[in-house]
Amino acid sequence: MVRFLIRLGVSLALAAIALLVTSLLVPGMHLQWQGFLVAIVVFAAVQTFFEWLVEAVFRRGAPAVAGVAGLLSTAAALFVASLGDGINFDGVAAWVLAAVVVWLITALAGWLSGKYLLPRIAPKKQG
């Protein structure tokens, strides 16, 4: 349970950081502060759901499928989060570029946190 809560916190923090950095890097992406917290929660929830779904479908698939699926789940999560007031895009190009940037940030930071942060904070039980 502790590992789940830590993963949830890390996921929300990574979503917030990725969305903030992407809004600074991608000219056509805009964050509205009044809906930012909702956008973070919606983005993290949708991305987590899509990642679970892809993992269930492509359990034995190639790693390339997981990478493409992660990018597609990020794009879908950004689209769903943009239906509210937190995130806006000036066009399809900004949405696609934002999806790539958010995917790169969350993938790298997720890998680093899983490798270095989680084992130190909440090690797996032995036995």
Side-chain angles (χ1 to χ4, degrees), residues 89-116:
F89 297 101
D90 288 343
V92 174
W95 172 65
V96 170
L97 183 58
V100 171
V101 172
V102 168
W103 174 71
L104 286 172
I105 293 170
T106 56
L108 180 61
W111 176 75
L112 289 172
S113 69
K115 185 172 175 92
Y116 297 110

mmCIF file of all heavy atoms in Angstrom, residues 89-116:
data_model
loop_
_atom_site.group_PDB
_atom_site.id
_atom_site.type_symbol
_atom_site.label_atom_id
_atom_site.label_comp_id
_atom_site.label_asym_id
_atom_site.label_seq_id
_atom_site.Cartn_x
_atom_site.Cartn_y
_atom_site.Cartn_z
ATOM 1 N N PHE A 89 -4.374 24.106 -26.569
ATOM 2 C CA PHE A 89 -3.384 24.006 -27.649
ATOM 3 C C PHE A 89 -3.820 24.895 -28.802
ATOM 4 O O PHE A 89 -5.009 24.995 -29.102
ATOM 5 C CB PHE A 89 -3.259 22.554 -28.133
ATOM 6 C CG PHE A 89 -2.759 21.618 -27.079
ATOM 7 C CD1 PHE A 89 -3.645 20.796 -26.389
ATOM 8 C CD2 PHE A 89 -1.419 21.553 -26.758
ATOM 9 C CE1 PHE A 89 -3.206 19.936 -25.409
ATOM 10 C CE2 PHE A 89 -0.965 20.704 -25.776
ATOM 11 C CZ PHE A 89 -1.863 19.888 -25.100
ATOM 12 N N ASP A 90 -2.845 25.528 -29.463
ATOM 13 C CA ASP A 90 -3.142 26.394 -30.601
ATOM 14 C C ASP A 90 -3.385 25.602 -31.880
ATOM 15 O O ASP A 90 -3.830 26.164 -32.871
ATOM 16 C CB ASP A 90 -2.004 27.398 -30.815
ATOM 17 C CG ASP A 90 -1.982 28.470 -29.741
ATOM 18 O OD1 ASP A 90 -3.000 28.632 -29.038
ATOM 19 O OD2 ASP A 90 -0.944 29.137 -29.595
ATOM 20 N N GLY A 91 -3.071 24.335 -31.881
ATOM 21 C CA GLY A 91 -3.305 23.524 -33.074
ATOM 22 C C GLY A 91 -2.819 22.109 -32.867
ATOM 23 O O GLY A 91 -2.291 21.749 -31.811
ATOM 24 N N VAL A 92 -2.966 21.309 -33.901
ATOM 25 C CA VAL A 92 -2.578 19.907 -33.834
ATOM 26 C C VAL A 92 -1.067 19.772 -33.667
ATOM 27 O O VAL A 92 -0.593 18.901 -32.930
ATOM 28 C CB VAL A 92 -3.073 19.154 -35.092
ATOM 29 C CG1 VAL A 92 -2.564 17.726 -35.116
ATOM 30 C CG2 VAL A 92 -4.588 19.178 -35.159
ATOM 31 N N ALA A 93 -0.307 20.624 -34.331
ATOM 32 C CA ALA A 93 1.147 20.544 -34.237
ATOM 33 C C ALA A 93 1.620 20.773 -32.798
ATOM 34 O O ALA A 93 2.518 20.071 -32.316
ATOM 35 C CB ALA A 93 1.796 21.559 -35.176
ATOM 36 N N ALA A 94 1.028 21.725 -32.120
ATOM 37 C CA ALA A 94 1.398 21.988 -30.723
ATOM 38 C C ALA A 94 1.028 20.807 -29.834
ATOM 39 O O ALA A 94 1.787 20.433 -28.935
ATOM 40 C CB ALA A 94 0.709 23.252 -30.227
ATOM 41 N N TRP A 95 -0.126 20.189 -30.108
ATOM 42 C CA TRP A 95 -0.563 19.034 -29.328
ATOM 43 C C TRP A 95 0.383 17.850 -29.536
ATOM 44 O O TRP A 95 0.772 17.187 -28.582
ATOM 45 C CB TRP A 95 -1.993 18.687 -29.723
ATOM 46 C CG TRP A 95 -2.514 17.420 -29.148
ATOM 47 C CD1 TRP A 95 -2.748 17.132 -27.831
ATOM 48 C CD2 TRP A 95 -2.852 16.249 -29.870
ATOM 49 N NE1 TRP A 95 -3.235 15.855 -27.708
ATOM 50 C CE2 TRP A 95 -3.314 15.286 -28.953
ATOM 51 C CE3 TRP A 95 -2.843 15.924 -31.226
ATOM 52 C CZ2 TRP A 95 -3.733 14.029 -29.331
ATOM 53 C CZ3 TRP A 95 -3.272 14.666 -31.599
ATOM 54 C CH2 TRP A 95 -3.707 13.733 -30.661
ATOM 55 N N VAL A 96 0.784 17.591 -30.787
ATOM 56 C CA VAL A 96 1.695 16.483 -31.078
ATOM 57 C C VAL A 96 3.063 16.741 -30.445
ATOM 58 O O VAL A 96 3.641 15.849 -29.805
ATOM 59 C CB VAL A 96 1.824 16.271 -32.607
ATOM 60 C CG1 VAL A 96 2.949 15.300 -32.938
ATOM 61 C CG2 VAL A 96 0.504 15.779 -33.185
ATOM 62 N N LEU A 97 3.591 17.948 -30.606
ATOM 63 C CA LEU A 97 4.891 18.279 -30.008
ATOM 64 C C LEU A 97 4.820 18.196 -28.488
ATOM 65 O O LEU A 97 5.738 17.676 -27.841
ATOM 66 C CB LEU A 97 5.346 19.671 -30.452
ATOM 67 C CG LEU A 97 6.717 20.119 -29.954
ATOM 68 C CD1 LEU A 97 7.805 19.140 -30.393
ATOM 69 C CD2 LEU A 97 7.023 21.518 -30.457
ATOM 70 N N ALA A 98 3.739 18.667 -27.903
ATOM 71 C CA ALA A 98 3.568 18.590 -26.451
ATOM 72 C C ALA A 98 3.518 17.135 -25.995
ATOM 73 O O ALA A 98 4.102 16.782 -24.961
ATOM 74 C CB ALA A 98 2.312 19.330 -26.018
ATOM 75 N N ALA A 99 2.848 16.287 -26.755
ATOM 76 C CA ALA A 99 2.773 14.869 -26.393
ATOM 77 C C ALA A 99 4.161 14.237 -26.380
ATOM 78 O O ALA A 99 4.496 13.474 -25.470
ATOM 79 C CB ALA A 99 1.855 14.125 -27.352
ATOM 80 N N VAL A 100 4.976 14.561 -27.369
ATOM 81 C CA VAL A 100 6.333 14.014 -27.433
ATOM 82 C C VAL A 100 7.172 14.509 -26.255
ATOM 83 O O VAL A 100 7.862 13.727 -25.592
ATOM 84 C CB VAL A 100 7.006 14.362 -28.785
ATOM 85 C CG1 VAL A 100 8.480 13.988 -28.775
ATOM 86 C CG2 VAL A 100 6.279 13.675 -29.925
ATOM 87 N N VAL A 101 7.101 15.801 -25.967
ATOM 88 C CA VAL A 101 7.902 16.371 -24.875
ATOM 89 C C VAL A 101 7.450 15.809 -23.524
ATOM 90 O O VAL A 101 8.281 15.400 -22.703
ATOM 91 C CB VAL A 101 7.840 17.914 -24.896
ATOM 92 C CG1 VAL A 101 8.501 18.509 -23.672
ATOM 93 C CG2 VAL A 101 8.488 18.452 -26.166
ATOM 94 N N VAL A 102 6.148 15.765 -23.281
ATOM 95 C CA VAL A 102 5.637 15.225 -22.011
ATOM 96 C C VAL A 102 6.018 13.756 -21.880
ATOM 97 O O VAL A 102 6.439 13.303 -20.812
ATOM 98 C CB VAL A 102 4.108 15.409 -21.899
ATOM 99 C CG1 VAL A 102 3.535 14.614 -20.741
ATOM 100 C CG2 VAL A 102 3.760 16.872 -21.739
ATOM 101 N N TRP A 103 5.901 13.010 -22.976
ATOM 102 C CA TRP A 103 6.254 11.593 -22.950
ATOM 103 C C TRP A 103 7.729 11.400 -22.613
ATOM 104 O O TRP A 103 8.075 10.551 -21.783
ATOM 105 C CB TRP A 103 5.919 10.958 -24.293
ATOM 106 C CG TRP A 103 6.368 9.536 -24.414
ATOM 107 C CD1 TRP A 103 5.855 8.447 -23.775
ATOM 108 C CD2 TRP A 103 7.436 9.058 -25.217
ATOM 109 N NE1 TRP A 103 6.540 7.320 -24.143
ATOM 110 C CE2 TRP A 103 7.513 7.669 -25.036
ATOM 111 C CE3 TRP A 103 8.327 9.671 -26.101
ATOM 112 C CZ2 TRP A 103 8.453 6.873 -25.690
ATOM 113 C CZ3 TRP A 103 9.251 8.880 -26.748
ATOM 114 C CH2 TRP A 103 9.305 7.497 -26.534
ATOM 115 N N LEU A 104 8.599 12.182 -23.229
ATOM 116 C CA LEU A 104 10.031 12.074 -22.936
ATOM 117 C C LEU A 104 10.329 12.399 -21.478
ATOM 118 O O LEU A 104 11.087 11.687 -20.806
ATOM 119 C CB LEU A 104 10.835 13.000 -23.854
ATOM 120 C CG LEU A 104 10.971 12.561 -25.304
ATOM 121 C CD1 LEU A 104 11.620 13.671 -26.136
ATOM 122 C CD2 LEU A 104 11.783 11.283 -25.400
ATOM 123 N N ILE A 105 9.736 13.469 -20.973
ATOM 124 C CA ILE A 105 9.977 13.878 -19.585
ATOM 125 C C ILE A 105 9.464 12.825 -18.616
ATOM 126 O O ILE A 105 10.178 12.413 -17.693
ATOM 127 C CB ILE A 105 9.339 15.253 -19.300
ATOM 128 C CG1 ILE A 105 10.058 16.344 -20.092
ATOM 129 C CG2 ILE A 105 9.369 15.568 -17.807
ATOM 130 C CD1 ILE A 105 9.349 17.689 -20.067
ATOM 131 N N THR A 106 8.223 12.370 -18.794
ATOM 132 C CA THR A 106 7.658 11.407 -17.848
ATOM 133 C C THR A 106 8.343 10.048 -17.955
ATOM 134 O O THR A 106 8.515 9.363 -16.942
ATOM 135 C CB THR A 106 6.134 11.249 -18.034
ATOM 136 O OG1 THR A 106 5.854 10.880 -19.383
ATOM 137 C CG2 THR A 106 5.400 12.512 -17.666
ATOM 138 N N ALA A 107 8.734 9.645 -19.160
ATOM 139 C CA ALA A 107 9.412 8.354 -19.318
ATOM 140 C C ALA A 107 10.774 8.377 -18.629
ATOM 141 O O ALA A 107 11.110 7.462 -17.869
ATOM 142 C CB ALA A 107 9.563 8.006 -20.794
ATOM 143 N N LEU A 108 11.538 9.419 -18.871
ATOM 144 C CA LEU A 108 12.865 9.520 -18.257
ATOM 145 C C LEU A 108 12.761 9.667 -16.743
ATOM 146 O O LEU A 108 13.440 8.957 -15.985
ATOM 147 C CB LEU A 108 13.643 10.697 -18.852
ATOM 148 C CG LEU A 108 15.048 10.916 -18.302
ATOM 149 C CD1 LEU A 108 15.922 9.694 -18.578
ATOM 150 C CD2 LEU A 108 15.659 12.162 -18.898
ATOM 151 N N ALA A 109 11.910 10.563 -16.295
ATOM 152 C CA ALA A 109 11.777 10.779 -14.851
ATOM 153 C C ALA A 109 11.153 9.562 -14.164
ATOM 154 O O ALA A 109 11.530 9.222 -13.040
ATOM 155 C CB ALA A 109 10.932 12.021 -14.589
ATOM 156 N N GLY A 110 10.212 8.903 -14.815
ATOM 157 C CA GLY A 110 9.619 7.694 -14.245
ATOM 158 C C GLY A 110 10.635 6.579 -14.104
ATOM 159 O O GLY A 110 10.676 5.876 -13.093
ATOM 160 N N TRP A 111 11.464 6.416 -15.107
ATOM 161 C CA TRP A 111 12.512 5.396 -15.050
ATOM 162 C C TRP A 111 13.502 5.712 -13.933
ATOM 163 O O TRP A 111 13.865 4.827 -13.155
ATOM 164 C CB TRP A 111 13.222 5.307 -16.397
ATOM 165 C CG TRP A 111 14.372 4.342 -16.385
ATOM 166 C CD1 TRP A 111 14.311 2.981 -16.406
ATOM 167 C CD2 TRP A 111 15.756 4.690 -16.326
ATOM 168 N NE1 TRP A 111 15.571 2.458 -16.372
ATOM 169 C CE2 TRP A 111 16.482 3.480 -16.323
ATOM 170 C CE3 TRP A 111 16.446 5.899 -16.278
ATOM 171 C CZ2 TRP A 111 17.874 3.445 -16.269
ATOM 172 C CZ3 TRP A 111 17.829 5.865 -16.234
ATOM 173 C CH2 TRP A 111 18.524 4.648 -16.223
ATOM 174 N N LEU A 112 13.920 6.974 -13.847
ATOM 175 C CA LEU A 112 14.871 7.361 -12.802
ATOM 176 C C LEU A 112 14.276 7.204 -11.407
ATOM 177 O O LEU A 112 14.952 6.736 -10.489
ATOM 178 C CB LEU A 112 15.329 8.810 -13.017
ATOM 179 C CG LEU A 112 16.260 9.034 -14.208
ATOM 180 C CD1 LEU A 112 16.488 10.523 -14.432
ATOM 181 C CD2 LEU A 112 17.578 8.308 -14.005
ATOM 182 N N SER A 113 13.012 7.588 -11.232
ATOM 183 C CA SER A 113 12.398 7.462 -9.914
ATOM 184 C C SER A 113 12.203 5.998 -9.537
ATOM 185 O O SER A 113 12.379 5.626 -8.380
ATOM 186 C CB SER A 113 11.068 8.215 -9.845
ATOM 187 O OG SER A 113 10.092 7.578 -10.640
ATOM 188 N N GLY A 114 11.845 5.169 -10.504
ATOM 189 C CA GLY A 114 11.687 3.745 -10.228
ATOM 190 C C GLY A 114 13.007 3.072 -9.898
ATOM 191 O O GLY A 114 13.056 2.136 -9.102
ATOM 192 N N LYS A 115 14.071 3.557 -10.496
ATOM 193 C CA LYS A 115 15.385 2.956 -10.275
ATOM 194 C C LYS A 115 16.048 3.453 -8.991
ATOM 195 O O LYS A 115 16.672 2.683 -8.277
ATOM 196 C CB LYS A 115 16.280 3.251 -11.469
ATOM 197 C CG LYS A 115 17.626 2.587 -11.403
ATOM 198 C CD LYS A 115 18.372 2.773 -12.700
ATOM 199 C CE LYS A 115 19.758 2.214 -12.619
ATOM 200 N NZ LYS A 115 19.854 0.842 -13.058
ATOM 201 N N TYR A 116 15.888 4.733 -8.676
ATOM 202 C CA TYR A 116 16.629 5.308 -7.560
ATOM 203 C C TYR A 116 15.771 5.726 -6.360
ATOM 204 O O TYR A 116 16.193 5.613 -5.232
ATOM 205 C CB TYR A 116 17.428 6.526 -8.038
ATOM 206 C CG TYR A 116 18.476 6.158 -9.054
ATOM 207 C CD1 TYR A 116 18.342 6.541 -10.377
ATOM 208 C CD2 TYR A 116 19.577 5.402 -8.701
ATOM 209 C CE1 TYR A 116 19.289 6.194 -11.322
ATOM 210 C CE2 TYR A 116 20.525 5.040 -9.628
ATOM 211 C CZ TYR A 116 20.383 5.446 -10.937
ATOM 212 O OH TYR A 116 21.319 5.093 -11.868
#
